[in-house]
Amino acid sequence: MKIHTNIKKKSFWISLLGILFFLLSTPIEAATKKYTIATDTTFAPFEFQDTSGNYVGIDMDLMNAIAKEENFEIEIKALGFNAAVQALEAGQVDAVIAGMSMTDERKQKFDFTDSYFDSGIGMAVSTSSNISTYEELRGKNVAVKIGTQGASFASSIKDQYGFTISTFEDSANMYQDVVSGNSVAAFEDYPVLGYAIRSNHLPMTLTSYKEQATQYGVAVLKNQNTEFIEAFNRGLATLKSNGEYDKIINNYIGTDDSTTTSTEDTSLLGLLKTNAPTLLNGLWNTIWITFVSLAIATIIGVLLGLMRTSRISVLETIATIYIDFMRGIPLIVLTFFIYFGIPQALNIRLDATVAAITTLGLNAAAYIAEIVRGGINAIDKGQSEAAMSLGLPYYKSMQKIILPQAIRLMVPSFINQFVITLKDTSILSIIGLVELTQTGKIIIARNLQSSSMWFIVGMMYLIVITLLTKISARLERKA
């Protein structure tokens, strides 16, 4: 028996030593570094979304190729140019790649990789226009995109040549403004203008002007992420030496028109068929985010509403301050503060979806609190007095008598608040939340079919909101 026990002990130690030897002899692979990269996706041919929902373009293809070459992972956040830069400043992302010109002003805030593309600013006018010089812009209006070199250049010469400027969030609306005749010209990086005109058959033409030749680079915060810059530069050098860089560039900006001509069906039915999965996904995001936000808002709002009608003055004061504060701040300002301001102050990262739900929930809670207060106050005070005379405490009379009646009065207002919050999700596209409105923007950036796509998006909102209105009317009748 003792011999058998010793054999078992020896077997145990031999097995343990074998496992340790295996672990020590097995090479340990370093964890793959992952970077969060902000981009625009409305800046074809550098970044946009194809019909399958993939992020493509010169910037995207280069970034993916370099990440593969240098063995790091990337997470792309489509925020729009202005929001992408703010996200980098707030530390929400590691880098920005969005056709970003390396200006002296930007170099004071950011460090840049080596240049991956040489660009310049061009001017495009309608094909029906006779304008070909800056002098002919006098007394007229031109279109630019916010935060771009084209916008900076137009601002620098507008007084000299006497024209006014309209600023847009994305390129598609900027082009549409020229096509519709509201503006006579657009200033934008010339490769972007050329690609948009050729691939989407825009009735616009590039003039002979090419200003302020600039270099594009990937931006990171000053004195941070130096390892990313080094990896990007090494990968870029490799792609240039093995010919992959030229293939990527020529795939989007080549002499062969077939490489830049869109084959997407741009009829109303064609657009609907091609983009239906993407649009439905955006609609689903809009609906579920609205539901979650309203659930949070209802809990906070009911509590605030009860505090607002409380006989305790401190609770009433706290609720009043919160309600006035939230109702007094524009939703877009609250969104920027929660997504950019708080993370920068606390040195944390906040997911766009979490920021969106938080923003909507806190904002809607103030309005729900007023709905609750109004519903409670609408109940005859005699009922509260009668409950007190019967010896019922305040919370019992509220629970058993007042609230059941008040809720019936609140139902239509609750549904109305749901509709308002659902529409408010469109504002949150400014932080890159891919809900229905942002989905429409991304699709339009690819095909530039503004009128048709906004009609489709508008109809989708209309259908959902009409259904909610009918539900509200039915609930009101039952109540």
Side-chain angles (χ1 to χ4, degrees), residues 18-83:
I19 293 170
L20 288 172
F21 178 78
F22 174 78
L23 292 174
L24 291 172
S25 62
T26 302
I28 300 173
E29 294 185 5
T32 303
K33 185 70 175 179
K34 184 175 183 178
Y35 297 101
T36 303
I37 313 294
T39 190
D40 188 347
T41 69
T42 62
F43 197 61
F46 291 93
E47 47 263 334
F48 59 101
Q49 204 172 42
D50 64 16
T51 55
S52 300
N54 301 312
Y55 295 126
V56 296
I58 293 172
D59 287 0
M60 296 295 96
D61 289 4
L62 279 176
M63 184 59 75
N64 284 320
I66 290 171
K68 183 178 180 181
E69 185 70 34
E70 290 296 315
N71 193 33
F72 61 81
E73 295 180 0
I74 57 172
E75 178 188 356
I76 299 297
K77 281 193 172 183
L79 300 177
F81 186 82
N82 200 36

Side-chain angles (χ1 to χ4, degrees), residues 107-159:
K107 286 178 181 178
Q108 293 177 11
K109 290 184 178 181
F110 309 117
D111 288 330
F112 285 90
T113 62
D114 292 341
S115 171
Y116 64 86
F117 190 85
D118 293 339
S119 184
I121 299 163
M123 182 175 80
V125 299
S126 171
T127 51
S128 61
S129 171
N130 295 321
I131 292 174
S132 59
T133 65
Y134 296 155
E135 286 79 5
E136 292 170 311
L137 297 176
R138 189 170 300 278
K140 298 178 175 62
N141 192 69
V142 304
V144 298
K145 180 180 173 181
I146 189 170
T148 62
Q149 283 298 101
S152 299
F153 175 72
S155 296
S156 70
I157 66 170
K158 71 182 181 67
D159 292 334

Side-chain angles (χ1 to χ4, degrees), residues 209-428:
Y209 285 102
K210 183 181 174 183
E211 304 283 354
Q212 295 185 346
T214 56
Q215 295 180 318
Y216 287 169
V218 184
V220 301
L221 277 178
K222 200 76 174 173
N223 302 320
Q224 294 187 27
N225 278 324
T226 54
E227 73 281 0
F228 170 80
I229 291 180
E230 291 170 359
F232 184 93
N233 290 343
R234 283 195 307 268
L236 180 63
T238 301
L239 295 184
K240 285 184 175 181
S241 64
N242 63 21
E244 186 65 24
Y245 173 85
D246 290 332
K247 288 181 181 177
I248 291 172
I249 297 297
N250 291 331
N251 188 42
Y252 295 96
I253 306 176
T255 55
D256 183 4
D257 287 342
S258 64
T259 62
T260 58
T261 300
S262 173
T263 57
E264 184 176 354
D265 184 354
T266 56
S267 67
L268 192 64
L269 289 176
L271 289 171
L272 190 57
K273 181 180 178 181
T274 302
N275 299 292
T278 306
L279 287 167
L280 289 174
N281 185 61
L283 178 62
W284 166 244
N285 287 338
T286 295
I287 292 172
W288 82 258
I289 286 171
T290 302
F291 268 109
V292 174
S293 301
L294 257 295
I296 294 170
T298 300
I299 295 170
I300 299 173
V302 169
L303 179 62
L304 289 169
L306 293 174
M307 290 169 63
R308 190 84 163 77
T309 57
S310 172
R311 296 170 184 173
I312 303 173
S313 59
V314 174
L315 295 179
E316 183 183 0
T317 301
I318 293 172
T320 301
I321 292 172
Y322 179 91
I323 292 166
D324 290 345
F325 184 80
M326 284 298 167
R327 292 175 71 181
I329 297 178
L331 187 59
I332 191 170
V333 175
L334 183 62
T335 303
F336 278 131
F337 176 72
I338 290 175
Y339 188 63
F340 296 123
I342 292 177
Q344 189 170 15
L346 302 179
N347 195 27
I348 59 173
R349 288 195 177 183
L350 191 62
D351 182 75
T353 303
V354 174
I357 291 171
T358 303
T359 302
L360 290 173
L362 293 177
N363 178 263
Y367 294 92
I368 289 176
E370 287 297 277
I371 292 171
V372 172
R373 183 187 67 84
I376 291 173
N377 288 341
I379 305 302
D380 191 282
K381 289 184 178 180
Q383 297 195 39
S384 298
E385 294 170 355
M388 289 178 62
S389 67
L390 292 172
L392 283 176
Y394 176 77
Y395 76 92
K396 274 288 184 183
S397 64
M398 188 65 67
Q399 178 186 357
K400 298 292 185 180
I401 299 171
I402 306 301
L403 282 179
Q405 297 179 75
I407 287 171
R408 293 189 184 93
L409 299 175
M410 295 178 206
V411 168
S413 296
F414 268 116
I415 299 295
N416 185 57
Q417 184 58 46
F418 186 96
V419 170
I420 292 170
T421 303
L422 187 142
K423 290 192 288 186
D424 283 346
T425 58
S426 63
I427 295 175
L428 301 175

